[in-house]
Amino acid sequence: GSGTSSGPSTGANQSLAIGLVAEPASLDFTTTDGAAIPQALLTNVYEGLVKQDESGKIVPDLAKSWTISPDRKTYTFELVDNAKFTNGAAFTAADAVFSINRVKSAWTTSLKAAMDVVQDAKAVSPKQLQVTLSKPSNDWLFRMTTRIGAMFSQTGVDKLATDPVGTGPYKFGSWKRGDSIVLQRNDSYWGTKPFFNQVSLKYFKDPTALNNALLTGTINVIGTVQAPEALSQFTSNTKYQVIEGTTNGEVVLSFNNSRPVFKDVRVRQAIRSAIDHKALLDTCFAGRGKLIGSMVPPTDPWYEDLTQVAPYSKDKAKSLLAAAGATGKSLRLRLPTLPYATSCGQVVKSQLEQVGLKVQIDQLEFPAAWLTTVFKNADYDMSIIAHVEPRDLGAVFSPKYYTRYDDPTLQQALAAADAGDEATQVTEMKKAARRISEQAAADWLFLLPNLVVADKNITGLPVNAITESFDLSKLARS
Amino acid sequence: MAEPVIQVTDLVRDYPRPRTSLLRASPPVHALRGVSFEVQEGERFGIVGESGCGKSTLLRIIAALDRATSGQVVVEGTDITRLPERRLRFLRENLQLVFQDPMSSLDPRMRVRDIIAEPLVVQGHPASGERVRELLEAVGLSADAGDRYPHQFSGGQRQRISIARALAPRPRILIADEPVSALDVSVRAQVLNLISDLVDELNLTLIFVSHDLSVVKHVCSRVAVMNAGQIVETGPTADVYAAPTHPYTRRLVSAVPTLQRALSGATTTDLVKGVPST
Amino acid sequence: MVLRLVERTAVLLVSLAVSSVLVFGFMAVLPGDPARVALGVNASDEAVAQLREQFGLDRSLATQYLDWLGGLLRADFGTSYVSKVAIGPQIFDRLQVTLWLVVVGMIVALVVAVPAGTVMAARHRKISGLALSAISQLGVAVPAFLAGILLIMLFAVKLGWLPANGWTPPASDPGMFLRQLILPALSLGLVQGAVLTRYVRSAVLDVLREDYLRTARAKGLRPFPALWRHGLRNAAVPVVTVLGLQLATLLIGAVVVERVFVIPGLGSLLLDGVSNRDLLLIQDVVMLLVVAVLVVNFLVDVLYVALDPRLRVGQR
Amino acid sequence: MSGLGGSVDDEGGPVSDRGAPESALGVPASGADVSTGGGASTGVGGPTGVGGSALRRSAGRRLNPSLVVGGIIVLVIVLTALVSFVWTPYDATLVDPAVRLAKPSWSHWFGTDKFGRDLLSQIMVGSRTTLFVGLVAVGVAAVIGVPLGILAAMTRRWSSELIMRANDLLLAFPALLLAIMFGAVFGASTLTAMVAIGIATVPSFARVIRSGALQVMRAEYVLAARAAGRRPFPIALRHVLPNVTSLITVQASVSFAIAVLAEAALSFLGYGTPPPTPSWGRMLQESQEFLFSAPRLAVFPGVAIAIAVLGFNLLGDGLRDRFDPKLEDRR
Amino acid sequence: MSSLVEEHEVVEQSDVLTVRGLTVSVRDKILVEDVDLTVGPGERVGLIGESGSGKSLTALSVLRLLPEDVHARGSVRLSGIDHDLIGADERQLSRIRGRDLAMVFQEPMTALNPTMRIGDQIAEAMLIHRTVPNRRAARAAATDLLGRVQLPGVARAYPHQLSGGQRQRVVVAIALANDPALLICDEPTTALDVTVQAMVLDLILQGVAARESALLFITHDLAVVATICQRVLVMYGGRVVESGPVHEVFTNPRHRYTQGLLAASDLDSAAHRLPTIPGNVPAAGNFPTGCVFRTRCPHATDLCTTTPPWTGPSPHGYACHHPAPELVTVETKQGKFEEVADG
Ligand SMILES: Nc1ncnc2c1ncn2[C@@H]1O[C@H](COP(=O)(O)OP(=O)(O)OP(=O)(O)O)[C@@H](O)[C@H]1O
Ligand SMILES: Nc1ncnc2c1ncn2[C@@H]1O[C@H](COP(=O)(O)OP(=O)(O)OP(=O)(O)O)[C@@H](O)[C@H]1O
Ligand SMILES: [Mg+2]
Ligand SMILES: [Mg+2]
Ligand code: NI
């Protein structure tokens, strides 16, 4: 709750257990990458100045409101006045300046680059913050909704890896490695206090174990269903509710565009046409999820249905391949050891082989081996991975990224989108999305669904999971 | 007298024993403690002694299958105790062994033919089927025995095969380590006869080891009595048997039950005469 | 006997030293830069270099090795590259969990195997023995995780008697601890028990063939008392060996069962370590495991002496 | 009646200091029956006299059921694998969404999986993987373990001690651990996993072969061969090796079973055979999501694994009984 | 044969052991056939024969300690026991074994439990049958027994610390612990050296004499039997081929096998070449029908394909169609047997 809604009354001493899949390796997202840390901590323990609501809009959080200067370079934030860190310190503009500067100085993960555009941040008053950018950037404000925008206490960053300190509705309780993270309600929270007194996030490597845990009452919620095939046992049971929404996770069949064979746009298009996306989704994700034609989820303002840019057609694929002289070419599909990638990879292989390509599947252990081989060294022809970062079109299709996609037209559109006002941003982004789709910079197999299963009486579960966090503040038991 | 075929001088063999104390090395097992004797050409030399007295150790050293700790073994004028394996060819051709256990002395995975031919093959002689057949015949087995495996034969027949193998390279010296100890009485007589006949026919020098005094007495002309790694008495078999001089020999001779003595009323008390309680 | 102990101890120490070099060497060739994995996908090269320096990964291998070994000797397992948390307490926590599982599993296995194996051997010609033998053969043939899954389906999901998975430390909630321990300990114990049964049976069959058992019968002992008084101790030697080996290998081998039952044990710590390239953690866990195996072997060796007087050299 | 029959047991000196535990340690960490003989039996140093173990052993030998059943199972697996090279009902890797999760029927005897692949075809082709898995693991273990064992038996005290110590050290690296680590270094593939399993199996091979070879070395025919002038290497080749083949076969088939189990466990953990190569272990792992909706997906590969392991174990038991008359009546 | 039975029926009551028609078989193979055997009180009876002739099986049938798939038929009765041992259950048998009936086996090295102290193993024999009041008395009795087999002070030792001869004496002590009515020794000295054998034989004889126990002594060594036994049975191919007082059987063997055996084993007086029995002892179950010896017998005729009847109402009986002639004067000068037989 951002202080605007009154919300349900606080449950006395109730606790909740949520089953999740990936356990963080550390609690410090300033130096350790990975989606698991913000999933647990962002908006729950840490808060930013702004956040994204479920429809994708940027809304106030620790900043009550903000104004943008006409040259779109200076942002002035009015901060809430009763926020307090869990170490007792009050949240002030100085903390905000500290947090923003600290991204540049102390963060080590690649995400820190988003803060490069900030020229200066200063505390005008304890409750007013002014940030000056070196150039106009729509993206910057959006990034402030992600972990980059998390506000740290000046006096609470010594033990980020084990003892995080934030202003959020929950405070960090304990972490049993290999098992669970426990969050306790922050009773001195400045906004609406959450319903549950304690929430434990339990981690299950094995999807079946996760399902069993819900079935036997060990947990109350499955945060993300990994084995959609097993959903049937919950849909048919009145004790549970199943929520299906969307995420930011585009499952991408990526091409290594620096490989000669993929330099030919016809080959790329042929592959897109060769894949029967509907059948693929049915087969490897039980038909859950959404088909998308480009790198934009429906929750982004510039979403367009581009699924018809490359409709399924074996004949077209064959003729494109023939024209490019690529029939019978052998391609290495290097998959990370993730269930959806393994599943989809086999379908992709089978479908591509039907149009006359040869596909050899390699499995690379995820994360370490896959990151080194495919991601860093780009030693691959094709791979499959879900890109779960929000608004990542620009990042993914760049020459330096593992896709090695070098397209000036695209870069132009992206730059214009970032610099322009909201309307310009939307039109330019639409252009960019269409460009990569038509150029077949990759194939988008589908958008991962947000599948949540929970006890019937749990309320406040988000339908869409488009932010980095699993927002626990609205959860309640009816 | 001519130069002896085998001359053993002051032979000592110590086997190390695993340590039992940190500070002191365990005393070694003295398997042989200064054994000396000579065997003349064509002689039938017997060695008797109880279990563990070092008979087999002695034979192994004579056959250069084990190294002496000290002392000397001269075979046909050559000192073999310090010779490397590659210079032992003459010994391998001239001296062969027959072992005690008919079960373990033949490789169960080889055909009899190959077993008998093994010494020939190793020593680079042409291993003709003719020679194998000849040998089989010499030990009283039919020619088709060559195609079969050892387990298809009885103990006595196996000892015959062993003997055939030993005779294959036409050795001049035959060493037999308790060749009949594991055989039935009725078969023992057959094998003893066979050895006797062959030694006569082929003019072999025989060293015959046994723990059974009567067998040695039957086969050998001269005998050495061993006890605890030493030879306590040597002499013509009949003399040693009839008039043992060493107390150990006396004890040994008196302890052997024989039919004749038994039928003429000897009891166990007579047997234990001279046997000290241990 | 003292000598044997000293000799065994020396062997143990040398083995430990050699294996520490092996483990370290193996880690050194493991591909995947821990610093890069920790920093994530698009970390800059400078950041990586900086982190490498921070962890001392830029020093010579020999220095790294000695440092590590020195730490181990002081019971300092170092700090994880990935989670930046001290490794020692983590390993200790996980080890406790796994030990519970493995030891209770082993007890289950023994409780199953000793009587079953003995009966099988004693009645190996009778229908009861044959039937037991067939069951144990089947038990050996079923993968442990499959057994676990079946147990969960039956007792947790279908019947709802026991929790399907999870782990509670005994101190915090003994009741829950027990309830959660039963299924994993059973699935581990039954499969190991089946394996152990074969060894017990084999050892008892060997003993049954021994002359001294016939002597015992000739004294007037009936078959089972004879086996009990004279056979079991002699049969224990080979069984103890297997038991020792199983105990040691199960510290990691239980990982499959840990996975099925979502138990935060040593095996899953290792697997996580491998997939996160938490190099130091892997190194420590593997070393710990090697130490465990060697020490258990050592203890088994010592136990022989207690079981078999023939090994007490230097007596009398 | 094999070369390692009781005859050698009858012989032999006083119990050596390490005699009992060593032969006792010669057992693999898992698997079925193991001969634990040697440890408890003391030999006699004296003349055996007219002891009659010779004839006793020729007493009748029946075909034992373990051998027959195990042999038949293994034969069926081998035949299935061979047939799968030339014929399977469907292409085992062909994805056909139209028939996904089909129930068993005349067109798909075992039904299909979530990709619409024919289960029967996958089981058939999977038998190839199973055999491959076993052959690689056992091959590696035998190729390294057998010479090591023979070497340890034939060389001097200290060098053989060294080999056996190294062997013990290897024992400290359990199969699963080695496989995971090898997978991390060389990339996960069936081959690397199985080479790792093979290496982890070396110690048990070396131990068993060593104790067998020690018995052979004690036999008088080795002495006879030396007296005939044979050098150590030919003795190892012509006498020792042939006489431990029975041990090798037994050990191989038991290890085979262990390897099959290990592959299943590794597949379960995601370190086993990578897709799309059909493997029983991975089929079982993939079937997990369907335990409730389509349990048959787990049943077929699960039963296949169990039967294969059972087959190889039984074969091993049977061979052991056959080769070792002392254990004649084991089952 | 029937005459022998009749002859012994008179004294049946007083016989310690009476075996009638004992047949031992494994599956379809007959290993021992139709053996009759009696041992009178205090009597010392020898059972000789070559390896595989069924001596051990006969002894084990009496104790009912046969290997699992080997079965005995016939009747085995012990004086003072009102049931047949064949067909008795384990409970009944375990009361007899070690108390009325004791046995010493061939292999001293393996006959003792390696993990139990010597004294305890002896004491156990008495404790099982409660022939001593308590554990302490059993210990004392064990120490005493050890003293009597001339092994003082080894009660706390383990078997591996003793030599073969010493172990065999321990086994003898165990067997004699409860003063059995019958002691069966199965080649107790075959594995021992002659000097040790002499001592062990002497101890057995003394022990038996002191307790007035009967002795059934199995061996392949004719001289040993001649030394310690009063009566002897000769076995071949699972059958008793000849029996009688030692002196008679050994000086005037009637069965051709006994005759051959005596000649072949007499190394002392034979000339350079030994008289031999042609051929080999067949494997178990491969003995010919009719006369079991006929395949190796130089005197065999067609008649021998029928089983020879038991001849001899006198204590000296045999089963042969062509027996060696009876000597009128006992000739102890060896080497003449063959001549006599030829004549
Ligand atoms: N390889 C060895 N290592 C250690 N000790 C040995 C070895 N070989 C023999 N001995 C010991 O040496 C002594 C003599 O042994 P050897 O085999 O020569 O006796 P033997 O007279 O042949 O006895 P047997 O009649 O039993 O064959 C014994 O005490 C034996 O234990
Ligand atoms: N369990 C068994 N199964 C089959 N045959 C057996 C068994 N036990 C013994 N035999 C056979 O029965 C025959 C008689 O055996 P037994 O042990 O009575 O001979 P023995 O006269 O005591 O000979 P030895 O002098 O060798 O002890 C042998 O040929 C033997 O092979
Ligand atoms: Mg010897
Ligand atoms: Mg016998
Ligand atoms: Ni006749």
Side-chain angles (χ1 to χ4, degrees), chain D residues 50 52 55-56 59, chain E residues 26 31 51-57 67 70 187 284:
Chain D
V50 194
L55 290 167
R56 191 155 304 152
Chain E
V26 56
L31 302 173
S51 192
S53 54
K55 308 182 295 291
S56 297
L57 289 181
V70 181
E187 313 206 22

Side-chain angles (χ1 to χ4, degrees), chain B residues 15 29 31 50-57 60 100 178, chain D residues 45-47:
Chain B
Y15 288 111
V29 180
E50 290 183 305
S51 178
C53 70
K55 307 182 295 288
S56 300
T57 307
R60 275 203 302 272
Q100 166 174 3
E178 315 221 18

Side-chain angles (χ1 to χ4, degrees), chain A residues 25-26 31-33 108-110 161-162 176-179 203-206 209 212-213 216 218 365-368 371-372 375-376 401, chain C residues 32 36-43 47 82-85 90 94 152 156-157 164-165 167 169 259-260 262 264 272 274-277:
Chain A
S26 147
T31 55
T32 309
D33 213 342
T108 56
T109 61
S110 58
T162 52
K176 259 202 293 170
R177 265 161 229 275
D179 184 61
Y203 294 97
F204 296 81
K205 276 247 159 49
D206 183 50
N212 287 337
T216 55
T218 313
E365 193 199 352
F366 189 83
L371 284 182
T372 317
F375 202 88
K376 172 152 179 293
Y401 213 60
Chain C
R36 182 164 300 278
V37 176
L39 286 180
V41 287
N42 2 342
V82 178
S83 63
K84 283 137 201 129
V85 179
Q90 283 194 65
R94 302 295 192 99
I152 291 180
V157 177
N165 46 38
W167 180 262
R259 174 70 70 85
V260 173
V262 199
D272 292 353
V274 170
S275 56
N276 289 328
R277 286 296 179 275

Side-chain angles (χ1 to χ4, degrees), chain D residues 168-255:
Chain D
D168 280 357
L169 204 63
L170 196 54
L171 214 57
F173 293 85
L176 215 56
L177 178 67
L178 269 192
I180 290 168
M181 289 171 56
F182 269 52
V185 178
F186 304 108
S189 80
T190 326
L191 190 66
T192 44
M194 287 311 124
V195 169
I197 303 277
I199 290 178
T201 319
V202 166
S204 56
F205 256 89
R207 280 199 171 280
V208 170
I209 299 308
R210 172 171 171 269
S211 65
L214 272 179
Q215 289 196 337
V216 174
M217 290 301 291
R218 252 187 264 138
E220 283 172 345
Y221 57 81
V222 171
L223 218 53
R226 285 179 59 205
R230 275 231 198 268
R231 296 307 188 77
F233 187 70
I235 287 184
L237 219 58
R238 312 193 106 248
H239 292 289
V240 180
L241 193 61
N243 281 294
V244 294
T245 42
S246 53
L247 283 183
I248 298 176
T249 330
V250 171
Q251 189 62 25
S253 73
V254 172
S255 304

Side-chain angles (χ1 to χ4, degrees), chain B residues 44 50-51 154 157 184-186 188-190 193 197 200 215 218 257-259 262-263 268 271-272 275 277-278, chain E residues 50-51 150 169 193 195 197-199 202 223 226 228 247 250 262 265 267 271-274 276-277 279-280 296:
Chain B
R44 297 168 166 214
E50 290 183 305
S51 178
S154 72
Q157 289 170 323
D184 279 326
V185 200
S186 63
R188 179 179 76 176
Q190 299 171 0
N193 283 347
D197 294 351
D200 283 351
V215 172
H218 178 79
T258 67
L259 257 184
L263 292 178
T268 53
L271 297 184
V272 286
V275 179
S277 56
T278 34
Chain E
E50 290 178 290
S51 192
Q150 298 174 27
R169 280 185 267 159
D193 285 327
T195 47
Q197 158 171 302
M199 153 163 242
D202 194 41
I228 65 172
H247 205 271
F250 285 175
L262 276 165
S265 55
L267 299 168
H272 193 49
R273 283 190 62 83
L274 292 165
T276 61
I277 301 175
N280 294 293
R296 299 176 71 189

Side-chain angles (χ1 to χ4, degrees), chain B residues 21-117:
Chain B
S21 148
L22 260 189
L23 306 174
R24 279 172 296 117
S26 299
V29 180
H30 301 290
L32 296 177
R33 1 175 145 209
V35 170
S36 306
F37 64 89
E38 287 177 359
V39 180
Q40 302 297 330
E41 169 112 48
E43 194 177 14
R44 297 168 166 214
F45 186 74
I47 302 175
V48 262
E50 290 183 305
S51 178
C53 70
K55 307 182 295 288
S56 300
T57 307
L58 176 61
L59 294 191
R60 275 203 302 272
I61 293 175
I62 294 176
L65 297 171
D66 192 3
R67 297 270 162 202
T69 308
S70 69
Q72 215 182 26
V73 177
V74 178
V75 178
E76 299 193 321
T78 315
D79 179 359
I80 58 149
T81 25
R82 316 252 174 290
L83 281 188
E85 179 71 38
R86 74 194 133 76
R87 308 240 328 254
L88 286 170
R89 193 185 157 93
F90 87 98
L91 189 77
R92 302 285 176 239
E93 287 178 354
N94 283 331
L95 182 148
Q96 282 295 317
L97 294 143
V98 177
F99 297 98
Q100 166 174 3
D101 186 353
M103 298 313 296
S104 87
S105 58
L106 305 177
D107 186 338
R109 295 292 152 125
M110 278 168 107
R111 281 179 201 283
V112 167
R113 188 184 337 110
D114 300 324
I115 292 175
I116 294 177

Side-chain angles (χ1 to χ4, degrees), chain B residues 197-240:
Chain B
D197 294 351
L198 288 169
V199 167
D200 283 351
E201 255 167 59
L202 305 173
N203 220 346
L204 299 175
T205 306
L206 176 72
I207 300 188
F208 189 103
V209 166
S210 177
H211 64 273
D212 190 337
L213 264 185
S214 37
V215 172
V216 171
K217 188 175 159 221
H218 178 79
V219 177
C220 300
S221 52
R222 216 152 60 83
V223 68
V225 181
M226 268 186 93
N227 182 27
Q230 280 170 318
I231 291 187
V232 296
E233 186 166 357
T234 328
T237 320
D239 298 355
V240 171

